[in-house]
Structure formats: structure tokens, C-alpha cells
Amino acid sequence: MTVQNATPEQEAMPEQRRILRTEVPGPRSRERHARRSQVLAAGLGTTLPVFVERAGGGIIVDADGNHLIDLASGIAVTSVGASAPAVVSRVREQVGRFTHTCFLVTEYDGYVEVAARLNELTPGDHPKRTALFSTGAEAVENAVKIARAATGRPGVVVFEHAYHGRSLMTLAMTAKEHPYKTGFGPFPGQVHRAPYAYPLRWPGGPERCAEEALAALEDLLAEVGPQTVAAVVIEPIQGEGGFVVPAPGFLAGVREIAARHGIVFVLDEVQAGIGRTGTMFAAEHEGIVPDLVVTAKALAGGLPLAAVTGRAEIMDAVHPGGLGGTYAGNPVACAAALGVLEMFRDGALLERARAIEAQVRAGLAAAMDSPYAAELRGRGAMMAIEFARPAEPGRCPSPRPRSPSRSPPAATRRACWCWCAARTGT
């Protein structure tokens, strides 16, 4: 790719197409992977054993010169494209000035500017405050801390199929046992799990999904005592759970129940937020205004940065010194985030995410003719197609044909193929 008067970043940008020069993984990647096995802990898994040498836009280039399309976007991180010039230039400038000073000791403008932008962009026009952290799990834990401080209550309600992180507290909140939780218990207590309104898998059918899931949440609160619950934490679209879009009305119903009981309503937008679904925050699709919203992943275009943003009176409930961390809101990561947020100002990337959804739906429409294609779902560049098959002959029927009012039974074994094209800037 040749660009007239190109910047160094543009000159280094790989061709935006797949190029296979060797088998995948190639010999150099295999050699490096063998060395990795000798020096790294076995618990660090690998999806594709290739070693990356550079990346740009939607392409990663491995050690063997193969250009691979990165549909995972580094697990929903490089939404503006890998090595986006607006991010790289700000990072270079900041690194030249200083790489670190803990904001809790000496302050700097980047932290304040990121917080101000998140206060402006997150749903709702009420007064807000923001605190910055390093990872999504860290931010989720701090949202729980803030809710507990504001309410004086200990309990947390989460949902089936949820994923909130790998720290001990967020593992307690995460639903999936293996590989995330196996062997790591015991976990913190007073975490209660309610059904998520998953229309395809709801036993009573999609038409009754939201109503019955909300009734189940009410039953759970009645059982544990709503006066003991500090926070309800929910993903507006589940990521690890299978890109599940909840039944219409469910999020609004959860919000109403939380407000009625004085429970802090926390949206975990770590994976779905920052433009991935065609709006800055996935909750905007349903007009939901949270008390607290958690962001990370795509926030800083590949550098570690996370945030909790929310109602001023809730955020300010924590005593001075109760929030923070050595690297929380690192100045280089803040510079990267300001580049990312600048790229979203004109709305073009949000439109691009919506165009990706239209393209995916059109491209996969034929796949839905398969009797085992259960559902094509998602929003923006967060799309998935779910396939289902009988667990055992004679026990679980094929998901198709099926009555419009009856979804496949929960016992049906499933496989979910996720179109993780979170990158809207390519």
C-alpha cells in the first residue's frame, strides 16, 4: 500500500488483505512456540500459535510474513484498528514526556481529560464522576466496592452466562466454571445469580422470556432480601456467554427493579462498549441509563486502561484514598484513550459498525437455511451465529423445525460461532 505524503504509521501499515506465504503456523512461529513452552506457565492458553511481528488496521503480520485478518481484535480491544495513527502519535508524544507517575501522588491532565470525556459520553445527563483503573476485572471490582460504600450493603446480583473477569471477586461473578474457575476456589460470598433473558434458550419461549426472567429476579431478591443487595451487575450484550442480546424490555425491567429496591444498577460494558455495537455504549440501543458503567478493552486502543463512571453521589460515597492503584490511569494509556475517543467524534466509526452488521447479516443469511442454524444475532460488529444439534438421539430434538413459541430445550448441546469483528475502523 503506497500513500502520498504518508506518515510513518501509514508507511508501516500492512496490506489490508489476507496473504498466506506459509502454512499457519509457519516454521518461525512453530520454532518460537516451542521456546514459549519451555519458559511460560502451562496455564497460559493459546488460540492461534503464531507470533506477531506487526499489526495495522485489521491485519496482523506473523513471524513468517503471513497477513492474517484479526476478527478477534485482540478480544474486542483494537476497535479503531491496530496501530491507529491517532493513537500511536499521542502515545509517542506522551512517552517522550513521561511514562509514569502515580496519579494519586502527582496529577496530570490526561487522566482528567479521559474522565471528562467519559462523563460526557456515557448515558444520562446527570452529574457524573469517573475513576480510572488498568483492567476490566479491576474496574468491575471497584464498581462493587463503590456500590457497597454507597449502600452499606454487601450482596451482588449477577446473571447466568456472565463473564466479568479473572480475579477472585470477578470469578465469583463469572458463570462459566471451566476453564476460568476450576481449581481456584473458594470464592468471595454473597454473590447471587439470576437467569439472563436469553430468548433462544428460554424454556417458555422468546415471547415470555423477559417477563419470566424478571419474575425470577424478583423471586431471587425476595429470597436473599433486597435490603442486603448493593449492586446488580449486568452485561447489556453478553460477550463470553455467546453474544447474547437480551429479550426486549429485560434491561429496562432490571433497571426498574434495582431502582425500586435502592440497588445500584451497574452496566458492564467492558466488551460491548466504546462503539462496538454501533453506538458508543450498547445500553443506548434500549435507552438504558445506568447508575455506574464499567469500560475497558477498546477504551485505549490496546493499552491497559479501564474506568468506572457514574452518578456523582454514588461515586463520591467512597472515602478519599479508597480508590486507585499504582498504574491506574497510566499517562501513556490515557494518551491512547484520548486518541481513540477523538476518532469517534464524527460518528463515522459508529456508522461503520452498523454497516458491518448489515454486511454480516446479508453474508450469513444463506447459512440460516441449515436445519442446525438456530439463530443469527448481535448488534453492530458484535455478531454471532449459533448452531445446535441433538445431545443424544431420542432425547433432545433438533432445534429446527420448531414452533415459533418454543425455543430449543436448555439440554440441547450448542456451539456458538462468534463473528468478533469488533474493529470498526478498517
Side-chain angles (χ1 to χ4, degrees):
M1 179 175 67
T2 303
V3 180
Q4 293 291 334
N5 302 317
T7 65
E9 291 80 17
Q10 290 171 326
E11 289 177 349
M13 188 72 68
E15 289 190 60
Q16 297 300 293
R17 64 187 182 91
R18 186 182 66 165
I19 302 173
L20 297 182
R21 296 197 166 101
T22 70
E23 70 275 25
V24 178
R28 291 180 179 175
S29 281
R30 292 198 302 271
E31 179 182 350
R32 296 180 188 185
H33 186 76
R35 180 171 184 266
R36 164 223 161 100
S37 301
Q38 300 300 314
V39 299
L40 298 186
L44 297 167
T46 300
T47 300
L48 182 64
V50 300
F51 273 69
V52 178
E53 292 203 336
R54 63 190 176 102
I59 295 293
I60 58 175
V61 182
D62 72 9
D64 295 282
N66 298 304
H67 288 48
L68 307 174
I69 301 171
D70 182 15
L71 293 180
S73 301
I75 313 184
V77 169
T78 55
S79 293
V80 296
S83 305
V87 174
V88 172
S89 61
R90 286 177 181 260
V91 167
R92 282 179 172 164
E93 190 274 335
Q94 179 58 52
V95 166
R97 294 195 296 126
F98 60 94
T99 59
H100 172 75
T101 175
C102 180
F103 187 77
L104 304 180
V105 179
T106 51
E107 303 167 312
Y108 41 92
D109 288 334
Y111 190 117
V112 178
E113 290 173 8
V114 171
R117 287 289 286 141
L118 288 173
N119 291 346
E120 172 190 344
L121 290 169
T122 50
D125 56 6
H126 48 273
K128 300 174 192 169
R129 302 284 189 271
T130 289
L132 299 182
F133 303 97
S134 299
T135 70
E138 184 186 4
V140 170
E141 288 207 9
N142 276 275
V144 171
K145 288 166 53 179
I146 292 164
R148 285 174 168 172
T151 63
R153 305 170 180 178
V156 180
V157 170
V158 292
F159 293 84
E160 293 175 353
H161 313 294
Y163 179 85
H164 295 293
R166 291 177 181 260
S167 63
L168 281 178
M169 181 64 193
T170 54
L171 278 178
M173 299 167 67
T174 290
K176 191 173 183 179
E177 185 70 27
H178 189 75
Y180 302 122
K181 302 169 78 164
T182 303
F184 298 139
F187 301 107
Q190 295 181 297
V191 175
H192 314 289
R193 196 170 307 282
Y196 193 84
Y198 187 168
L200 179 66
R201 297 284 163 180
W202 195 258
E207 295 83 359
R208 298 167 60 185
C209 181
E211 177 186 356
E212 293 180 355
L214 291 170
L217 174 59
E218 293 270 30
D219 289 344
L220 174 65
L221 290 174
E223 180 180 339
V224 303
Q227 72 279 2
T228 70
V229 176
V232 171
V233 184
I234 189 168
E235 298 162 277
I237 298 178
Q238 291 190 325
E240 176 74 8
F243 287 20
V244 180
V245 179
F250 178 66
L251 287 178
V254 174
R255 178 73 184 91
E256 187 278 326
I257 291 170
R260 179 161 24 99
H261 293 294
I263 299 169
V264 177
F265 180 68
V266 182
L267 280 177
D268 180 345
E269 292 254 12
V270 168
Q271 187 166 149
I274 315 298
R276 194 177 187 203
T277 67
T279 55
M280 278 303 292
F281 298 93
E284 294 178 57
H285 289 281
E286 300 186 44
I288 306 300
V289 176
D291 295 319
L292 303 178
V293 59
V294 181
T295 50
K297 285 193 180 290
L299 177 58
L303 276 74
L305 188 68
V308 181
T309 303
R311 297 183 183 276
E313 66 273 19
I314 296 176
M315 295 291 296
D316 287 343
V318 180
H319 57 276
L323 300 176
T326 302
Y327 297 105
N330 171 269
V332 180
C334 285
L338 291 172
V340 168
L341 297 175
E342 180 65 28
M343 291 180 70
F344 278 99
R345 279 191 182 274
D346 64 3
L349 291 181
L350 300 180
E351 178 57 36
R352 177 61 177 154
R354 295 189 288 269
I356 287 172
E357 177 180 349
Q359 185 175 9
V360 171
R361 289 190 181 279
L364 295 180
M368 296 307 295
D369 291 336
S370 166
Y372 297 104
E375 186 177 46
L376 173 60
R377 61 172 177 260
R379 284 178 169 147
M382 194 172 183
M383 300 295 296
I385 185 169
E386 181 170 334
F387 298 98
R389 58 190 172 89
E392 292 181 20
R395 290 190 59 189
C396 295
S398 171
R400 288 193 176 187
R402 64 178 184 267
S403 165
S405 63
R406 183 177 178 83
S407 61
T412 302
R413 210 184 314 164
R414 68 187 178 96
C416 183
W417 180 87
C418 293
W419 183 282
C420 302
R423 185 182 303 98
T424 59
T426 59

